[in-house]
Amino acid sequence: MYLHHLAYYLPTQVVTNEHFTQLNGLSHEWIMERTGIRERRKAGPGENTNTMAIEATRRTLAEAPAFPAEQIDLIVGATYTPHDTIVTLAHAVQHAIDVADIQVVSISSACSSLLNAVEIVEGYFAMGKATRALVVVSEHNTAYNNEEDTMAGHLWGDGAATLLISKERLHENDLRIVDVKTGGAATMGKATTSVTLKPVERGLVMPHGRDVFTHACQYMARVTREIVERNGLTIPDINYLIPHQANQRITNNVLQNLELPEACAVSNIERLGNTGCAGAAIGLADTLPQLTPGQRVVVTVFGGGYSFGAMLLER
């Protein structure tokens, strides 16, 4: 299958580290040293997970005339910060693009949801049930976040992205999705308590950040090696690595583990913070214009629960 195009939407409101200095005393220098985050985006009044998903989809379709909305036969939405658990973001997108009676599904596997959504598309294509799909990832972290939480309140940002995926190549610049691998790691460490979002309780919290850090570094490096090796490649064959955009220190650790140069890594953490499952998709969208024929990209992710995955793409 092929990635034809993708684009994203970011709210206009920018929240800098100085906001948290005034709120709870965390300095800009302290936040930068521990996370690499300088600023993040926050959805404004009237914006939510669904509205951001719709706007990302409209932008993506407008930039891809070879992929008209009426030819879409599958929408897969992904988020762990839903606006509505019945009218899911995938259904909101279907309504917005006005394509009736197609297959529509939404999933949640924390920050790994992007790759689980792509894998679902792969399954529909393999079964002959679809040929052109939208994958829509959107997170409204600030709707659930407690900014006064000094452990994790400064990490989160909002944003959305939409990927257009086809079973057959539509254009010579389409990226071939060579392979996708995902998995759950709920038996590892403090997986089921490290990051939680319980809407009727305290919302989005991360009481065991060290455990998250350790397993994120291990799993993203491991699954990257696995997907590269099972496709007859080596790590130096990777031109770009797009990790889950959670923490610059995690990205640096993964690079060191894989012995990849810093120039290979795509990072938007500094300006966007942790945008959940949308972060890697936004990074991929920014990387597309730089890709030349024959170059390869690995997207590697890790999420609460725990969950993990990697995707190999080639131009």
Side-chain angles (χ1 to χ4, degrees):
M1 60 183 177
Y2 296 86
L3 174 60
H4 179 65
H5 190 61
L6 75 158
Y8 57 85
Y9 171 77
L10 296 171
T12 58
Q13 183 179 355
V14 176
V15 179
T16 66
N17 288 342
E18 283 70 23
H19 169 76
F20 295 96
T21 303
Q22 297 172 13
L23 184 69
N24 53 31
L26 298 182
S27 70
H28 168 74
E29 293 75 17
W30 188 91
I31 295 173
M32 281 292 294
E33 178 185 349
R34 285 160 178 78
T35 69
I37 300 170
R38 182 178 298 275
E39 60 187 33
R40 68 288 287 151
R41 298 297 182 95
K42 182 176 182 177
E47 290 188 311
N48 56 58
T49 304
N50 291 358
T51 65
M52 290 189 289
I54 290 168
E55 183 56 33
T57 300
R58 286 175 173 159
R59 293 183 181 189
T60 309
L61 289 172
E63 296 171 6
F67 207 113
E70 60 267 21
Q71 293 183 11
I72 295 166
D73 50 15
L74 171 65
I75 300 174
V76 183
T79 185
Y80 58 81
T81 56
H83 173 65
D84 188 327
T85 59
I86 294 177
V87 183
T88 72
L89 72 89
H91 290 91
V93 168
Q94 182 194 17
H95 182 266
I97 65 175
D98 194 24
V99 180
D101 302 330
I102 62 173
Q103 297 160 116
V104 178
V105 62
S106 288
I107 63 158
S108 176
S109 52
C111 296
S112 299
S113 301
L114 167 65
L115 297 194
N116 288 104
V118 173
E119 202 167 39
I120 287 172
V121 171
E122 183 181 41
Y124 273 89
F125 284 0
M127 292 185 291
K129 292 187 174 183
T131 59
R132 294 197 181 191
L134 294 184
V135 166
V136 191
V137 287
S138 182
E139 301 291 10
H140 191 187
N141 285 308
T142 62
Y144 295 89
N145 182 34
N146 174 12
E147 290 187 341
E148 296 183 358
D149 173 16
T150 56
M151 296 184 69
H154 50 284
L155 300 178
W156 311 104
D158 301 331
T162 297
L163 295 75
L164 308 180
I165 301 176
S166 62
K167 189 172 183 178
E168 306 295 337
R169 185 186 292 274
L170 302 179
H171 189 275
E172 62 181 6
N173 286 333
D174 291 356
L175 269 67
R176 184 167 71 96
I177 300 176
V178 180
D179 199 1
V180 186
K181 176 182 175 62
T182 66
T187 60
M188 302 303 294
K190 296 180 173 64
T192 59
T193 57
S194 285
V195 189
T196 64
L197 197 168
K198 300 175 182 178
V200 297
E201 295 182 16
R202 294 183 298 166
L204 182 57
V205 296
M206 187 186 296
H208 303 298
R210 172 53 58 181
D211 199 71
V212 176
F213 182 93
T214 300
H215 287 93
C217 293
Q218 293 173 353
Y219 270 95
M220 286 200 288
R222 192 190 83 183
V223 73
T224 297
R225 282 199 181 89
E226 289 174 351
I227 203 165
V228 166
E229 291 173 359
R230 81 180 190 178
N231 285 280
L233 302 171
T234 62
I235 293 298
D237 292 322
I238 300 172
N239 300 101
Y240 292 96
L241 181 74
I242 306 177
H244 166 47
Q245 305 293 305
N247 185 309
Q248 188 60 46
R249 291 166 60 217
I250 292 176
T251 296
N252 294 343
N253 187 289
V254 173
L255 286 174
Q256 184 178 9
N257 192 315
L258 295 172
E259 297 182 345
L260 279 171
E262 186 176 339
C264 286
V266 174
S267 177
N268 54 45
I269 300 166
E270 182 175 357
R271 62 188 179 88
L272 300 182
N274 187 339
T275 49
C277 69
I282 294 168
L284 181 57
D286 287 334
T287 305
L288 275 183
Q290 307 169 38
L291 295 178
T292 58
Q295 289 194 315
R296 300 180 182 91
V297 178
V298 170
V299 178
T300 182
V301 296
F302 184 83
Y306 291 133
S307 56
F308 63 93
M311 175 169 64
L312 173 64
L313 306 103
E314 183 177 62
R315 167 145 287 172

